[in-house]
């Protein structure tokens, strides 16, 4: 198993456009929006992959770095400390559980960070890379 990293930062209200977030929709492959189900990231073009990791620590490091970039723009102080999030991610990923973090940012923006297991036990999409 390995993990593909995906991220999206955009207008939070855009997440309401569900047709661009469902793989059955014609606009899904080109839509920059995060999918409704985490595993459906694998149905996006490989160009959307922010990184691919075979090692849990490398994958967790990507999450920590990207979350750190968004941290100053969070609307609310962290409800779950970063180290606790990382402990949970390090536990979940080797067991085949996708990790998806989403937070509201200042100015109505939203950040979505995901590490998606490949192969994935919940969707049948082939590995995109």
């Amino acid at each position: 198993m390995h993990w593909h990293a995906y991220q999206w930062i955009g207008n939070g209200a855009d997440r309401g456009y569900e047709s661009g977030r469902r793989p059955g929709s014609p606009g899904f492959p080109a839509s920059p929006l995060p999918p409704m189900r985490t595993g459906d990231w694998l149905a996006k073009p490989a160009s959307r992959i922010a990184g691919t990791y075979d090692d849990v620590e490398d994958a967790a490091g990507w999450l920590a770095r990207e979350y750190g970039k968004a941290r100053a723009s969070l609307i609310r102080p962290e409800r779950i400390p970063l180290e606790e999030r990382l402990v949970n991610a390090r536990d979940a990923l080797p067991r085949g559980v996708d990790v998806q973090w989403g937070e509201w940012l200042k100015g109505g923006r939203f950040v979505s960070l995901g590490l998606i297991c490949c192969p994935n036990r919940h969707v049948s999409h082939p590995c995109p890379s």
Side-chain angles (χ1 to χ4, degrees):
M1 177 187 331
H2 59 275
W3 304 278
H4 294 296
Y6 295 90
Q7 63 183 357
W8 175 80
I9 297 176
N11 182 343
D14 290 350
R15 295 178 318 131
Y17 301 122
E18 290 189 20
S19 64
R21 299 182 67 196
R22 297 185 186 277
S25 170
F28 178 80
S31 173
L33 295 170
M36 300 292 287
R37 293 185 309 173
T38 58
D40 288 334
W41 273 116
L42 300 175
K44 296 277 191 179
S47 61
R48 291 298 315 266
I49 297 171
T52 298
Y53 303 96
D54 296 315
D55 179 78
V56 170
E57 285 306 314
D58 292 340
W62 176 83
L63 274 172
R65 284 188 303 278
E66 295 307 314
Y67 186 79
K69 292 175 187 177
R71 200 179 219 168
S73 296
L74 294 175
I75 287 180
R76 291 182 258 181
E78 293 176 275
R79 293 173 289 178
I80 302 170
L82 177 58
E83 194 50 47
E84 185 176 337
R85 288 173 178 260
L86 292 171
V87 165
N88 292 335
R90 288 181 185 111
D91 176 61
L93 290 170
R95 293 186 297 113
V97 178
D98 298 336
V99 172
Q100 183 73 43
W101 296 352
E103 293 284 346
W104 282 99
L105 305 174
K106 295 172 185 169
R109 296 178 311 131
F110 193 87
V111 60
S112 177
L113 303 172
L115 285 168
I116 310 306
C117 301
C118 190
N120 195 283
R121 67 171 71 165
H122 301 290
V123 297
S124 60
H125 307 303
C127 184
S129 62

